Amino acid sequence: MASPENNPSLEDRVEGQSGPAGPSSLHRAWTHFLKVLSYFSGDMEVFGKWMEKQFFLLQLLDWVLRGAAQVMFVNNPLSGLVIFAGLILQNYWWALNGFVGTLFATISALILQQSRGAIAAGLYGYNGILVGLLMAVFSNDVLGCFISARLCPVALASINTRWDLPVFTLPFNILVCLHMVATGHYNHHFPQVLIQPRSELPNITWSEIDVAKLFRSIPVGIGQVYGCDNPWTGGIFIISLFISSPITCVHAVLGSAVGMVSGLALSAPFEDIYFGLWGYNCVLACIAVGGMFYALTWQVHLLAITCAFFCAYLGSAISNVMSTLGLPACTWPFCLSALTFLLLTTGTKRIFKLPLAKVTYPEKNLAFYWRLKKQEKAEKAAKESQEQLNAEITLHEKNQLKLELRRIEEGRQESENNNSTEMDEGVNVEGTNGEDNSTKVVPADYV
């Protein structure tokens, strides 16, 4: 039965009910606010269901916008629209390449007849936008890579689903490295950016550090996820994250700050830190662990920060190794560190890895975790009550059995007593009859 708090209409039907009407009104207002908020926050589920009934081109635009936002694990078309606005602010040519890359990747997934639900969530578009953006940064060849970008997630998804792990940006990393190795810097048609290892000690003077630029490197690090070095673009990306999930937004900022601190700890060149190169991999790693694929608890929050630090150190190592090959680090540090932390096993129930099919956005993941905990508590309480009931039934049956055995024993003793009494009476009767006969015979003989 619903309580009056959960069923406000009951208060109108029951007269003389005690208690003010304020809490129910507040509850209705809060429920209405959450309903309105759900229209443009989270994954915009209501909007997505409405889009299913619209014509194809409008659906395709929704998928492209969601794919652009999925780079930051956000399934929200409004966030994707804000992200494209930030890309236009950075460089309209990059924004165009990113849009075309996402569009072509989504259409390729449709041609390959991939899961329509995954396509609608933008999961086949985010690698395409990264390919379009980064190939515009490193090379002039863009369109020839889009179909190949779609072949990677199909193959990798079939492998990663065996371990219930996401693909992340592994297809993008594979494609960019493959293309840059195939073409190289000295190419007539598609020259690449020349990447070389550091050959001399950087000039680091701690007295010359610019604190303002250090703080500015936090939004720049978030913008570098899309290859953007404009702090205003990074700020727009932060707004896009906050629209969908405040938890994601907080962990993105924390990840970028961790990357900046790690760069200072490893005496990295200040310009690299200011440019956000130490932040973008940490941003993605911190978001992935901090509530996206794990249900957010304070233990998971600390685990996400630890993963960000690990990603920063791993990024430095991978950058040094790949620079000798003339290749960028891309997002290899993020992929390797996040997959490593997702494969962790622990005995505590406070670190709960969600099944891949249940992953949506951190707030909804946390609600799923709470429901699961409540269900487990209810099942445990029901099990304990059932065990207690079974114990009581068993004890009652034992007591009844003891009573039955006692009654049987008492009946047996009573029957034995009755038999012994009857036998004694029979002996007495026979003795009396014998005495009577002897008495009768004696006088006869006497006569």
Side-chain angles (χ1 to χ4, degrees), residues 63 73 172 206 208 232 329 337 362 402 409:
W63 301 342
F73 305 102
F172 154 72
W206 291 100
E208 296 179 358
W232 292 104
S337 59
K402 288 180 180 179
E409 188 67 24

Side-chain angles (χ1 to χ4, degrees), residues 432-442:
T432 304
N433 292 335
E435 291 178 356
D436 293 342
N437 292 332
S438 62
T439 304
K440 294 178 180 179
V441 171
V442 170

Side-chain angles (χ1 to χ4, degrees), residues 373-414:
K373 294 294 288 183
K374 289 181 180 179
Q375 183 179 357
E376 289 180 355
K377 289 181 180 179
E379 291 177 354
K380 185 178 180 180
K383 184 178 179 181
E384 290 178 353
S385 62
Q386 185 65 33
E387 290 178 353
Q388 185 178 1
L389 181 61
N390 292 336
E392 292 177 356
I393 293 174
T394 304
L395 181 61
H396 180 70
E397 291 177 351
K398 288 182 179 179
N399 293 333
Q400 291 293 330
L401 183 59
K402 288 180 180 179
L403 291 175
E404 291 293 332
L405 291 175
R406 187 178 300 171
R407 290 173 185 173
I408 293 173
E409 188 67 24
E410 291 176 354
R412 185 181 300 169
Q413 290 179 359
E414 185 178 354

Side-chain angles (χ1 to χ4, degrees), residues 11 177 255 281 311 332 401 412-413 424 428:
E11 295 181 355
C177 291
N281 277 299
C311 181
W332 284 110
L401 183 59
R412 185 181 300 169
Q413 290 179 359
D424 293 340
N428 293 333

Side-chain angles (χ1 to χ4, degrees), residues 330-347:
C330 295
T331 57
W332 284 110
F334 149 65
C335 292
L336 297 179
S337 59
L339 290 174
T340 300
F341 274 71
L342 289 179
L343 288 172
L344 289 177
T345 56
T346 177

